[in-house]
């Protein structure tokens, strides 16, 4: 049992004693003290007003009296129950999987009546789980039943085998039963409910013995005058044959221990991130059900944290300080304040063990993708945003997929559970504490493992040093595979050499980020054809996909002559000119070479699209453009006229040759690396020969003269 101590007060009391009877007095502080007929303070377990209760060392009641009910009690008159001295109720909501006919048929009525009459209540669900699928279904059953309600006395998991079901269908191992309980309570806790475990003293002593259960409230069933369970518990079911007005037949009786002192602080521990941050503490009395004024606040280490008269705590330095609340007549209570460095920022997270960094496997954007270690390459799937949540924990988000965060898969409480990326829901399996080690490295512990007592750390599986090894949670071994180094993602400078054009301002850009495309420079008489990574213009920088390297870089402006205008396009090899076959205006008509006839269907308008590419349209119908049939990069594909749709098979680069001719390459051919040019099929000199695309070979049938015409 938890050590219960209580309110201390100095009052002068006059008592008229009745031999053999319990005597009480209400003191000026609105707290009731209990004495026996000889004037001695009563302490420990006592029977008062028909209920078992606990009196602390000062003779003050430090417990609440309650009942637990189910459909077995039938239709309860809750008004009479309220008047009987019952402080609270625990209501069965159902049993087993999330199936409607397994709801307790009186659960909704019982909860609604407690809410109507202001009776604090909690709930419990009887478990029939034989596997984790059953556990998850029982969680959903519970959440469905309590949706929109406020079970302030807790949500309890009833783990027993009263009807022999588990024994009949395959009793799970003791460890598995414990893991069922941990999983259920963790999931319920993650949804914001106070949760706990109900079991008999025998089950708690002999079956449900996992240390992972120590972080949860326990409700012990032992129908006896005393509770002999030796571990901590918050509630004791001490009888099954109670009689309460408003209930026909017997009912279970319970006693719930209240807080350990008459005065409590709203937070027993407080994590502050960064110097200058603050939070507010306040004190209340659970015994007198009132907020306490006049509290004196002190700090034992003001170099770390100070506290003012209102309870406002302010961080002054890194470390730990104890804040104490004192008030005459009450035992002092404390709050441990930890001030930590603010690690908020974007980092590579490097393993001490392998020197590799934490990585979203394969750069995957799917929910549930595994987190692994991988050699550093600077990609954004290796960059992690740490954001302080203000409670001593951090949200860790992949820069690749900002909607996902680092997550212990399924809220798992088992060593070896995978760490994945998952939509951020604010669960304790997505909140991470940074632990500073003496060797300068850090470790990560989820709030889930901290609160359930497992203290698992983020771990490279098996201490592996190979690329691709999974990141998991594992028991603290102090191994190097559980230690990490945060390396800030740096800004580097992207400079622009405009090559005689108007100047462009350099920009600081973080590694792995896309550059914001600057305004295009200008240069008289020339067209800007894009930014290149080298001054020979071999590699065009793509602002939509390329990312900043982990070094400073220079991008070079390429300038080209402006060929905008209307032209006859004449083949060097045949001296024939381009036209749509037969002068046709139908969509899909093939492009051929033909004798020059001063006909408008042989005129072509060339319009700049920017970045060195042009749209080439027939002057007689500007809705069409020169097009590689089918958008294929295959050599030999026909060139046709087709409705313009801005496809890469309709955008053309004009390449100047040394002999004064030009060649045409589609953007499709350039990006696919097929290297195909506009080509007179087979180098023929005949009229009507089709125009195709073909790999560049330096032939005259791939070279063209552009002759201006007035049109």
């Amino acid at each position: 049992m938890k050590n219960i101590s209580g309110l201390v007060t100095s009052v002068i009391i006059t008592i008229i004693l009745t031999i053999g009877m319990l005597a009480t007095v209400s003191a000026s502080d609105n707290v009731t003290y209990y004495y026996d007929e000889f004037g001695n303070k009563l302490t420990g377990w006592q029977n008062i007003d028909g209920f078992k209760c606990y009196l602390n060392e000062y003779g003050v009641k430090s417990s609440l009296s309650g009942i637990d009910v189910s459909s077995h009690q039938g239709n309860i008159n809750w008004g009479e129950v309220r008047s009987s001295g019952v402080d609270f109720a625990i209501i069965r909501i159902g049993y087993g999987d999330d199936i409607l006919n397994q709801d307790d048929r009186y659960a909704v009525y019982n909860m609604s009546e407690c809410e109507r009459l202001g009776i604090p209540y909690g709930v419990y669900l009887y478990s029939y789980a034989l596997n984790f699928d059953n556990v998850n279904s029982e969680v959903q059953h519970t959440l469905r039943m309590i949706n929109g309600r406020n079970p302030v006395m807790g949500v309890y998991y009833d783990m027993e085998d009263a009807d022999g079901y588990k024994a009949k269908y395959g009793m799970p191992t003791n460890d598995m039963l414990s893991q069922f309980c941990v999983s259920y309570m963790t999931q319920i806790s993650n949804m914001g409910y106070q949760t706990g475990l109900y079991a008999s003293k025998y089950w708690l002593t002999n079956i449900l013995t996992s240390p992972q259960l120590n972080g949860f409230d326990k409700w012990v069933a032992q129908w006896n005058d005393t509770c002999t369970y030796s571990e901590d518990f918050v509630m004791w079911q001490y009888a099954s044959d109670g009689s309460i007005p408003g209930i026909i037949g017997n009912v279970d009786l319970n006693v719930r221990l209240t807080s350990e002192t008459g005065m409590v602080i709203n937070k027993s521990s407080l994590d502050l991130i960064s110097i200058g941050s603050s939070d507010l503490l306040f004190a209340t009395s659970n015994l007198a059900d009132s907020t306490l004024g006049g509290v004196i606040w002190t700090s034992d280490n003001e170099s770390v944290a100070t506290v003012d008269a209102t309870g406002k705590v302010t961080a002054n330095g890194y470390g730990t300080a104890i804040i104490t609340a004192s008030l005459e007549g009450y035992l002092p209570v404390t709050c441990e304040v930890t001030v930590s460095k603010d690690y908020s920022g974007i980092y590579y997270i490097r393993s001490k063990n392998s020197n590799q960094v934490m990585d979203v496997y394969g750069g995957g954007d799917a929910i549930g993708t595994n987190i692994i270690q991988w050699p550093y390459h600077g990609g954004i799937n290796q960059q992690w945003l740490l954001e302080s949540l203000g409670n001593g924990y951090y949200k860790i988000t992949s820069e690749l997929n900002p909607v996902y965060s680092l997550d212990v898969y399924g809220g798992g409480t088992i060593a070896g559970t995978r760490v994945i990326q998952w939509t951020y829901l604010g669960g304790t399996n997505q909140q991470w504490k940074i632990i500073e080690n003496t060797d300068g490295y850090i470790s990560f512990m989820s709030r889930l493992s901290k609160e359930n007592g497992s203290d698992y750390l983020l771990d490279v599986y098996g201490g592996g040093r190979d690329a691709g090894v999974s990141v998991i949670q594992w028991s603290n071994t102090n191994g190097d595979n559980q230690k990490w180094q945060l390396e800030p993602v740096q800004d580097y400078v992207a400079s622009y050499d405009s090559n005689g054009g108007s100047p462009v301002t350099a920009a600081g850009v973080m590694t792995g980020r896309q550059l914001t495309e600057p305004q295009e420079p200008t240069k008289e008489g020339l067209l800007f054809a894009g930014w290149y990574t080298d001054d020979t213009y071999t590699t065009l920088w793509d602002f939509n996909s390329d990312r900043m390297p982990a070094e400073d870089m220079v991008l070079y402006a390429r300038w080209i002559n402006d060929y905008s205008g209307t032209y006859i396009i004449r083949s060097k090899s045949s001296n024939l000119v381009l036209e749509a076959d037969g002068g046709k205006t139908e969509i899909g008509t093939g492009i051929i070479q033909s004798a020059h006839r001063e006909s408008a269907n042989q005129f072509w308008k060339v319009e700049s699209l920017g970045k060195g590419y042009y749209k080439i349209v027939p002057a007689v119908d500007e809705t069409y453009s020169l097009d590689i049939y089918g958008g294929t990069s295959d050599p030999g594909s026909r060139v046709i006229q087709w409705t313009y749709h801005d496809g890469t098979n309709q955008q053309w680069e004009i390449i100047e040759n040394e002999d004064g001719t030009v060649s045409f390459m589609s953007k499709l051919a350039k990006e696919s690396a097929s290297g195909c040019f506009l080509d007179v099929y087979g180098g023929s000199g005949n009229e009507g020969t089709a125009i195709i695309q073909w790999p560049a070979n330096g032939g005259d049938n791939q070279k063209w003269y552009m002759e201006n015409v007035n049109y």
Side-chain angles (χ1 to χ4, degrees), residues 492-498 501-509 515-522 531 543 548 553-555:
Y492 290 94
V493 177
S495 301
Y496 298 91
D497 183 344
S498 60
S502 57
V504 176
T505 304
V509 184
L515 278 68
T516 299
E517 187 169 3
Q519 185 174 354
E520 290 185 2
T522 57
W531 295 103
F543 287 90
M548 187 71 185
M553 73 169 186
V554 178
L555 294 177

Side-chain angles (χ1 to χ4, degrees), residues 126 149 164 180 187 219 234 249 268 349 389 465 542 644 676:
Y126 183 98
R149 299 187 181 274
F180 290 170
Q187 292 183 68
W219 173 15
V234 298
S268 60
I349 303 177
L389 297 173
R465 290 185 169 87
D542 188 338
Y644 183 71
C676 289

Side-chain angles (χ1 to χ4, degrees), residues 15 112 123 208 218 225 229 234 242 244 248 290 349 369 385 420 436 438 471 555 557 634 701:
I15 308 173
S112 297
V123 299
L208 304 175
K218 292 178 184 176
D225 192 51
Y229 181 60
V234 298
I244 298 293
I248 299 173
S290 61
I349 303 177
T369 301
L385 172 63
I420 60 172
E436 296 177 344
T438 56
V471 176
L555 294 177
D634 295 339
N701 61 323

Side-chain angles (χ1 to χ4, degrees), residues 131-143:
N131 53 57
F132 280 103
D133 287 340
N134 294 148
V135 174
N136 293 334
S137 184
E138 290 178 347
V139 169
Q140 295 308 311
H141 192 174
T142 302
L143 295 176

Side-chain angles (χ1 to χ4, degrees), residues 657-671:
N657 299 309
E658 293 180 355
D659 59 3
T661 63
V662 298
S663 295
F664 297 92
M665 177 185 287
S666 73
K667 188 174 183 180
L668 169 68
K670 189 175 186 74
E671 293 183 348

